[in-house]
Amino acid sequence: MIELATAPDRVLHKRACIAAFMDKHPTIFAAPTSAGSWTTFAEQSAPPDEREERILDQATGRIVQAIRSAQDRTPSDFDMQSALDLARQEGLADLEPDPAVLALASQDASEEEVATMARAMSLYKTAVKMGLAEGGELHQTIESSFSALPAETPFMQDLLDTAKRIVMIDLDQAMRQD
């Protein structure tokens, strides 16, 4: 469990988003035993008990599944490796991986995939600096990817909104200039 006093703001913000989602659906995510609500639980440093851990895993698993579904809906012309190859052909040197993306990467993510994403972010930031991109294209792509997913129930809409917020938190962190 991350010590809250030293946790980055983005981690605290993501915890708060997940907790609010869980609190909004108490019939699916029973309240924690150590606090009256998931929001209160997220604000404390106590580790979850076994039951709370299972419920948290259920919520985060659904969020991860929603994020992966949105990734699958990302337009096929949004290919990071192809963009990097084209930039190299056009004379841009092999870009260094963006440190913000490297810092955000999950420890269980593929090193090759993370490196590609980090170099693509470097390319994108360079394009923004040069005026070749506006800076909102990634946000628009994410919005479009999540909008393409079916949300036929209030629960599904809340799940997709929470997953999108979590992705946007990381994107906003990655977009910060060094």
Side-chain angles (χ1 to χ4, degrees):
M1 190 113 208
I2 294 175
E3 180 59 42
L4 293 183
T6 59
D9 285 344
R10 68 179 175 76
V11 170
L12 297 175
H13 191 193
K14 289 195 290 187
R15 283 176 64 128
C17 288
I18 294 167
F21 165 65
M22 293 172 73
D23 283 339
K24 196 168 180 179
H25 299 281
T27 59
I28 296 170
F29 308 110
T33 52
S34 62
S37 70
W38 287 106
T39 300
T40 303
F41 178 85
E43 294 168 351
Q44 65 186 19
S45 294
D49 64 23
E50 216 173 288
R51 177 185 162 277
E52 292 165 336
E53 186 78 40
R54 278 194 315 275
I55 296 169
L56 287 166
D57 286 349
Q58 178 189 21
T60 56
R62 287 179 181 204
I63 291 168
V64 167
Q65 186 178 24
I67 291 170
R68 286 188 179 139
S69 294
Q71 287 172 329
D72 290 344
R73 299 286 180 140
T74 301
S76 60
D77 60 346
F78 191 77
D79 178 14
M80 292 180 279
Q81 188 59 55
S82 295
L84 289 168
D85 292 343
L86 181 61
R88 192 175 302 116
Q89 289 172 4
E90 294 295 321
L92 267 173
D94 199 19
L95 296 163
E96 289 295 317
D98 185 76
V101 172
L102 293 175
L104 291 169
S106 169
Q107 292 176 345
D108 61 346
S110 156
E111 286 184 38
E112 182 179 332
E113 189 175 298
V114 171
T116 299
M117 288 180 4
R119 283 193 305 278
M121 181 58 79
S122 292
L123 176 62
Y124 182 66
K125 287 180 178 179
T126 299
V128 171
K129 285 179 187 174
M130 295 173 67
L132 301 172
E134 295 177 18
E137 294 86 355
L138 294 178
H139 286 88
Q140 293 167 357
T141 298
I142 291 168
E143 287 284 345
S144 174
S145 296
F146 277 97
S147 295
L149 295 173
E152 298 165 357
T153 65
F155 173 79
M156 283 305 296
Q157 185 61 55
D158 291 341
L159 173 63
L160 295 177
D161 289 344
T162 301
K164 181 173 62 176
R165 273 195 298 280
I166 288 170
V167 170
M168 291 295 196
I169 290 166
D170 283 342
L171 176 60
D172 291 342
Q173 179 69 31
M175 287 299 297
R176 291 191 176 137
Q177 297 299 327
D178 308 323

